């Protein structure tokens, strides 16, 4: 381990001596005159520096005339020309504006501050504007906004509790890694209700990588990676409060406040959600559970110098859900009306981040978290309580050079699960520990081409060594056309507690057999972009991408004759392939988004029909948004989900989904949103019953369509 840290230290002290002049640039907000942090300064395709807490950046340029491009999420891009040598500090001002949200340039998931438009790795970012809009539409969690992204499917796995997982490019949810500020939280037993307990109000942006992303964040990112980036305080006091109520008896209250001073800063999020049980299809069972959720997320920021940040935070999430027979939920249970399913969970997470910028713009990051997750599952037939302790620690360095940059680091990640009750549980304990080292090198060739290579070496306490290479390339043909392509490897350790499309009784899980091996993957992607701007408010963007992922030795959950569930490796791989088409059009006050995803997902080990169940081959979506002045905003969303194979290999029908949103800004600080989801009121229960068996002993079917039907919500938001 000592050698790893020596290696990182050597990377830090590397500095090239060139015939260039160092210039100090200071950037302030044009409206408030406050310094602006994290502004990226570039010339052409070359990154020069990033502003610190006082808005300062040290950049190096040779003598002559240079065009500078300054960009930051939430601000209008600034272009200026300077001549070197220059005396004194170069003072620049940037202005905030909604148009800046369309061009997202801070990419935390790549760790190298590269503009997303020129990144060799395809990254889709939902920025602050989308987070603000989602807070008014679905303030309770991020499930809805994730489902709006092409190639991403939110699969509800329980008709009574509402639990869901995220599927990317046709693969099961266990192959998608969910991170908070670059650190894992939602894996194994702790993955329960993960995305259902993350409100969007204190998120700055959401970054999504489709396909293998295992080099920087570990082997589990086989299908993709979702990185949730938290807000940080600014010098201006922020106060944001939101109240929401829906026609399906959901009530939300969320609050976010933040402020930074010279040495200290803070932010605080607190949210409460109450859901009353609702039987939408009148079959006697709740389609929405009786639930309460509380989330608190305070953070303290300390700035010992202009180049150093120390952050400590805590997240507490408390969630209770109970679904089942409506008579029982209303207090009128009897021998017939006796079925229920309840889940009670607590998640306590402590986190820390230390960031230090060096004079040559190198950056050292030390971060980690520790999370305790406890869940009680209680059903008519069984009850079980388990807890999982998870931890993550990392040291990494980022070092930019004139035409390249390097990211390198080491990390450890692990979790330990135990069944608290009952003693009869077959799976009593389970644990993982992995130590890894990683490196990523990006080389810019002239101003048009970037080649990115990465390598990760992991050592697992049970399964030994894993070597994960990755290579990607980006090339810009001209100002309109560009392409990218990449390849990467990944792996997933066997874990009987991971979230599945089908839910399994925890008490039926068998201990992991010594004959089960990790899953190994290879992922390929390629894409072509076209971009055309006629004016500031008239533009066209098209992306056509292709993907192929193969998972070797896929792990299957097999139920034996007496109902016990064990894990085995299949002899042939899972293969998913297809393409995404995405079109964005801006025309003055109008915005149009069109998307289509084709997915061919197959279990090649299966005989006969080998399509992966509950995976639509065709999905399409369209969004139209119109803004009228600064007060009104209208949005219409439509999507089509094609037919899917059930587990008995019969086919479901395809269906349409429509949503309408109207937003009104009042008195500058108040926003009222009226939103209607599922205008057509399409429900799975309109096609078939949601369960088989009797009302006292039901077996619920796997879900392939919404079950909650049409819902209208009204939210009021006050923002200072």
């Amino acid at each position: 381990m000592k050698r790893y840290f020596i290696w990182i230290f050597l990377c830090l002290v590397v500095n090239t001596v060139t015939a260039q002049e160092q210039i100090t640039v200071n950037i302030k907000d044009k409206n408030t005159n406050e310094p602006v942090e994290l502004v990226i300064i570039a010339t052409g395709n070359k990154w020069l520096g990033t502003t610190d807490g006082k808005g300062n950046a040290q950049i190096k340029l040779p003598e002559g005339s240079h065009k500078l491009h300054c960009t930051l999420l939430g601000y209008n891009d600034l272009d200026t020309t300077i001549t070197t040598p220059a005396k004194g500090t170069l003072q620049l001002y940037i202005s905030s504006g909604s148009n800046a949200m369309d061009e997202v340039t801070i990419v935390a998931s790549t760790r190298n501050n590269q503009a997303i438009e020129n990144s060799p790795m395809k990254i889709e970012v939902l920025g602050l504007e989308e987070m603000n809009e989602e807070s008014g539409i679905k303030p309770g969690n991020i499930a809805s906004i994730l489902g709006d992204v092409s190639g991403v499917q939110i699969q509800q796995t329980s008709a009574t509790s509402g639990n869901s997982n995220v599927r990317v490019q046709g693969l099961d949810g266990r192959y998608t890694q969910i991170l908070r500020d670059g650190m894992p939280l939602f894996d194994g037993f702790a993955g329960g209700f993960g995305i259902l307990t993350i409100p969007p109000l204190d998120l700055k942006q959401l970054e999504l990588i489709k396909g293998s992303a295992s080099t920087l964040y570990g082997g589990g990112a086989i299908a993709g990676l979702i990185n949730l980036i938290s807000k940080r305080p600014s010098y201006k006091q922020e106060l944001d409060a939101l109240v929401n109520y829906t026609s399906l008896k959901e009530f939300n209250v969320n609050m976010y406040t933040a402020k930074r001073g010279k040495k200290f800063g803070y932010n605080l999020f607190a949210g409460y959600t109450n859901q009353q049980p609702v039987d939408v299809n009148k079959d006697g069972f709740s389609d929405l559970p009786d639930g309460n959720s509380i989330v608190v997320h305070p953070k303290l920021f300390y700035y010992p110098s202009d180049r150093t940040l120390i952050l400590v935070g805590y997240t507490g999430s408390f969630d209770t859900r109970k679904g089942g027979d409506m008579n029982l939920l209303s207090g009128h249970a009897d021998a017939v009306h006796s079925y229920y399913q309840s889940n009670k969970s607590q998640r306590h997470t402590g986190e820390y981040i230390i960031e230090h910028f060096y004079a040559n713009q190198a950056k050292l990051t030390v971060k980690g978290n520790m999370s305790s997750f406890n869940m009680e599952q209680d059903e008519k037939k069984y009850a079980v309580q388990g807890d999982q302790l998870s931890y993550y620690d990392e040291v990494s360095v980022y070092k930019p050079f004139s035409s390249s940059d390097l990211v390198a680091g080491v990390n450890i990640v692990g979790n330990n699960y135990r069944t608290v009750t009952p003693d009869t549980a077959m799976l009593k304990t389970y644990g993982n520990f992995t130590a890894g080292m990683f490196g990523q090198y990006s080389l810019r060739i002239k101003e048009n081409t970037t080649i990115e290579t990465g390598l990760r070496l992991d050592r697992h306490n049970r399964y030994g060594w894993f070597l994960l290479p990755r290579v990607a390339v980006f090339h810009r043909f001209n100002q309109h056309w560009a392409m990218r392509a990449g390849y990467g490897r990944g792996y997933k350790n066997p874990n009987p507690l991971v979230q599945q499309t089908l839910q399994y009784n925890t008490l039926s899980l068998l201990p992991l057999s010594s004959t089960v091996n990790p899953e190994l993957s290879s992922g390929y992607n390629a894409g072509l972009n076209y971009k055309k701007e006629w004016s500031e408010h008239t533009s066209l963007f098209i992306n056509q991408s292709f993907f192929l992922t193969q998972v070797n030795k896929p792990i299957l959950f097999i139920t034996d004759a007496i109902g016990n569930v064990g894990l085995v490796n299949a002899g042939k791989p899972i293969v998913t392939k297809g393409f995404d088409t995405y079109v964005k059009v801006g025309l003055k006050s109008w915005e149009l988004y069109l998307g289509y995803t084709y997915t061919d997902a197959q279990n090649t080990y299966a005989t006969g029909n080998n399509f992966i169940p509950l995976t639509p081959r065709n999905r399409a979506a369209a969004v139209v948004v119109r803004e009228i002045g600064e007060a009104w905003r209208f949005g219409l969303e439509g999507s089509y989900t094609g037919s899917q194979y059930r587990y008995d290999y019969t086919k479901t029908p395809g269906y349409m989904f429509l949503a309408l949103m109207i937003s009104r800004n009042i008195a500058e600080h108040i926003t009222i949103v009226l939103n209607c989801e599922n205008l057509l009121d399409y429900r799975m229960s309109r096609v078939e019953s949601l369960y088989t068996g009797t009302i006292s002993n039901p077996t619920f079917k796997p879900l392939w369509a919404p079950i909650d039907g049409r819902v209208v919500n009204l939210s009021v938001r006050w923002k200072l």
Side-chain angles (χ1 to χ4, degrees):
M1 183 65 71
K2 184 183 295 184
R3 288 179 297 173
Y4 300 159
F5 287 99
I6 293 174
W7 178 57
I8 292 175
F9 178 77
L10 290 175
C11 292
L12 279 174
V13 299
V14 171
N15 196 4
T16 56
V17 178
T18 60
Q20 295 182 332
E21 180 182 355
Q22 182 166 292
I23 304 168
T24 300
V25 180
N26 181 263
I27 300 181
K28 293 184 178 181
D29 188 298
K30 188 175 182 179
N31 298 320
T32 66
N33 205 40
E34 297 285 356
V36 182
E37 185 182 11
L38 298 176
V39 179
I40 293 177
I41 305 173
T43 177
N45 196 33
K46 179 182 177 182
W47 178 87
L48 297 176
T50 305
T51 57
D52 58 23
K54 288 190 174 181
N56 293 324
Q58 306 295 326
I59 65 174
K60 292 182 178 181
L61 289 169
E63 291 187 11
S65 179
H66 305 277
K67 292 183 179 181
L68 297 186
H69 180 71
C70 306
T71 182
L72 174 64
L73 178 69
Y75 286 86
N76 293 314
D77 292 354
L78 173 66
D79 293 286
T80 187
T81 301
I82 67 170
T83 301
T84 57
K87 295 182 179 180
T89 299
L90 176 63
Q91 185 67 62
L92 300 176
Y93 295 88
I94 59 175
S95 58
S96 59
S98 59
N99 291 333
M101 301 299 180
D102 297 333
E103 187 75 16
V104 182
T105 55
I106 298 177
V107 183
S109 295
T110 64
R111 302 177 185 248
N112 58 8
N113 290 331
Q114 192 170 48
I116 185 174
E117 185 178 347
N118 299 322
S119 171
M121 182 181 292
K122 182 188 177 184
I123 302 177
E124 297 180 39
V125 176
L126 302 176
L128 189 59
E129 184 179 33
E130 287 87 355
M131 295 299 106
N132 288 335
E133 186 172 290
E134 187 68 12
S135 294
I137 296 173
K138 289 285 187 178
N141 59 71
I142 60 169
S144 175
I145 195 169
L146 282 173
D148 293 339
V149 180
S150 64
V152 177
Q153 180 184 1
I154 303 300
Q155 184 73 53
Q156 185 172 337
T157 58
S158 172
T160 53
S161 69
N163 196 12
S164 304
N165 63 38
V166 184
R167 303 179 63 190
V168 178
Q169 295 182 345
L171 290 169
D172 283 348
R174 71 175 185 265
Y175 300 114
T176 301
Q177 195 170 45
I178 300 178
L179 309 173
R180 181 77 184 239
D181 296 319
M183 294 180 281
L185 276 179
F186 309 100
D187 194 22
F189 188 68
F193 303 104
I195 62 171
L196 297 182
T197 57
I198 307 173
L201 189 61
D202 72 334
L203 296 179
K204 182 179 73 173
Q205 65 189 53
L206 184 154
E207 300 174 356
L208 171 65
I209 300 175
K210 300 173 188 174
S212 180
S214 297
T215 299
L216 294 178
Y217 292 102
I222 290 175
L225 177 148
I226 297 169
N227 197 1
L228 310 172
I229 310 300
S230 302
K231 292 179 181 177
R232 291 188 176 182
S234 64
Y235 286 100
K236 182 188 289 188
Q237 175 71 59
E238 293 182 71
L239 181 60
D240 207 343
L242 183 144
V243 178
N244 176 72
Y245 189 74
T246 79
S247 59
L248 292 180
K249 302 181 181 180
E250 179 181 339
F251 174 69
N252 311 92
V253 180
N254 290 336
M255 184 275 294
Y256 173 80
T257 182
K259 178 73 166 65
R260 177 185 170 176
K262 182 177 180 180
K263 289 291 186 180
F264 291 93
Y266 74 91
N267 61 16
L268 169 65
F269 171 85
Y272 170 72
T273 296
N274 173 260
Q275 173 68 66
Q276 298 295 314
V278 180
D279 179 12
V280 178
N281 63 342
K282 307 303 179 184
D283 65 353
F285 292 104
S286 61
D287 298 300
L288 291 148
D290 184 3
N292 289 279
S293 178
I294 298 173
V295 179
V296 292
H297 191 194
K299 287 185 179 180
L300 180 65
F301 298 77
Y302 174 51
Y303 308 90
S305 71
D306 295 339
R307 297 181 178 274
T308 305
L309 162 68
I310 300 174
L311 177 161
V312 292
Y314 162 79
T315 302
S317 178
F318 311 89
D319 190 87
T320 302
R321 298 167 187 267
K322 187 172 184 179
D325 194 293
M326 291 295 291
N327 281 18
L328 181 145
L329 296 177
S330 61
H332 300 93
D334 54 34
V336 175
H337 300 281
S338 57
Y339 177 81
Y340 69 94
Q341 184 185 95
S342 70
N343 292 272
K344 183 178 181 181
S345 65
Q346 293 187 26
R347 191 190 307 269
H348 301 274
T349 303
E351 63 181 311
Y352 69 92
I353 299 176
I354 303 171
E355 296 177 347
H356 179 73
F357 286 89
Y358 292 83
N360 58 5
Q361 293 301 316
K363 179 184 177 183
L364 173 68
T365 301
V366 182
K367 64 183 179 181
N369 64 34
M370 180 172 286
S371 180
S372 172
F373 179 79
N374 178 277
M375 183 162 65
E376 301 175 24
Q377 299 172 313
D378 190 8
E379 196 177 326
K380 178 182 177 181
K381 299 176 183 178
Y382 74 95
V384 61
Q385 180 182 359
D387 58 35
Q388 178 173 302
L389 180 67
S390 306
Y391 51 91
Y392 180 86
D393 292 283
E394 177 191 298
V395 179
S396 65
V397 62
Y398 163 64
K399 177 65 174 75
F401 301 94
S402 59
S403 60
S404 62
D405 51 62
L406 173 70
V407 178
V410 295
N411 74 314
I412 59 171
V413 59
N415 59 73
N416 292 290
Y417 165 83
R418 69 183 181 98
T419 300
V420 179
T421 58
D423 293 335
T424 55
M426 293 176 289
L427 181 65
K428 299 187 184 301
T429 61
Y430 178 79
N432 269 312
F433 173 79
T434 304
M437 57 186 299
F438 57 87
Q440 176 180 278
Y441 182 72
S442 301
L443 175 64
R444 292 175 289 277
I445 303 174
K446 295 183 178 179
E447 294 187 355
N448 298 325
T449 304
T450 301
I451 299 175
E452 193 168 85
T453 59
L455 187 67
R456 182 178 190 90
L457 181 64
D458 276 358
R459 170 69 179 181
H460 187 270
N461 65 310
R462 181 170 182 172
Y463 299 107
W465 294 96
F466 296 91
L467 186 65
L468 307 178
R470 184 179 71 84
V471 61
V473 61
F474 173 86
H475 178 72
R476 180 170 297 283
F477 300 100
N478 52 47
Q479 63 177 334
H480 302 302
W481 291 95
M483 62 79 66
R484 58 170 53 87
Y487 163 79
R489 290 182 59 83
Y491 71 96
K492 183 70 176 178
N493 292 315
N495 189 337
L497 298 162
V498 294
Q499 300 299 302
Q500 295 291 305
T501 305
L502 290 177
Q503 282 199 321
Y504 294 99
N505 179 340
T506 305
L507 291 182
S508 67
L509 295 175
L510 295 170
L512 197 62
S513 169
S514 60
T515 61
V516 182
N517 295 308
E519 301 169 281
L520 305 173
S521 73
S522 297
Y524 307 82
N525 67 83
L528 187 67
N529 293 343
Y530 176 79
K531 182 178 181 180
K532 174 72 174 178
E533 294 182 353
W534 290 274
S535 67
E536 182 180 357
H537 302 289
T538 306
S539 62
L540 170 67
F541 177 79
I542 302 174
N543 172 258
Q544 180 64 60
S545 60
F546 303 87
F547 62 88
L548 169 64
T549 302
Q550 179 171 307
V551 182
N552 297 313
K553 301 180 181 179
I555 292 175
L556 310 181
F557 283 64
I558 303 298
T559 304
D560 63 21
I562 59 175
N564 295 329
V565 179
L567 276 60
V568 299
N569 292 103
K572 293 183 178 181
I574 293 172
V575 178
T576 67
K577 55 183 180 291
F579 60 85
D580 275 334
T581 304
Y582 175 77
V583 179
K584 177 182 176 182
V585 180
L587 183 61
K588 295 184 179 179
S589 60
W590 291 86
E591 291 182 8
L592 172 65
Y593 306 86
L594 299 171
Y596 171 71
T597 303
Y598 174 83
T599 305
D600 181 3
Q602 298 186 30
N603 296 317
T604 64
Y605 55 81
T607 57
N609 190 334
N610 58 13
F611 293 106
I612 296 179
L614 306 185
T615 305
R617 177 169 285 194
N618 301 285
R619 294 187 71 200
V623 179
V624 179
V625 178
R626 171 78 191 280
E627 292 186 356
I628 302 178
E630 297 183 356
W632 291 95
R633 182 178 175 88
F634 300 87
L636 177 64
E637 174 189 342
S639 65
Y640 171 77
T641 300
S643 63
Q644 310 164 49
Y645 283 101
R646 299 180 179 91
Y647 278 86
D648 62 3
Y649 296 109
T650 60
K651 295 185 74 171
T652 71
Y655 63 90
M656 287 290 300
F657 183 95
L658 292 178
L660 176 66
M661 180 274 295
I662 302 173
S663 174
R664 175 75 163 96
N665 295 327
I666 301 175
E668 187 178 357
H669 298 300
I670 299 174
T671 302
I672 299 176
V673 175
L674 179 64
N675 178 66
C676 180
E677 299 282 310
N678 202 348
L679 277 166
L680 302 178
D681 197 25
Y682 190 88
R683 291 178 265 134
M684 176 176 161
S685 58
R686 293 189 181 277
V687 178
E688 60 183 292
S689 173
L690 299 183
Y691 72 95
T692 59
T694 65
I695 196 168
S696 59
N697 189 27
T699 299
F700 288 91
K701 299 177 181 179
L703 303 180
W704 52 266
I707 63 173
D708 53 359
R710 184 186 301 117
V711 56
V712 178
N713 75 287
L714 177 67
S715 68
V716 179
R717 181 176 183 179
W718 182 76
K719 185 175 183 180
L720 176 61

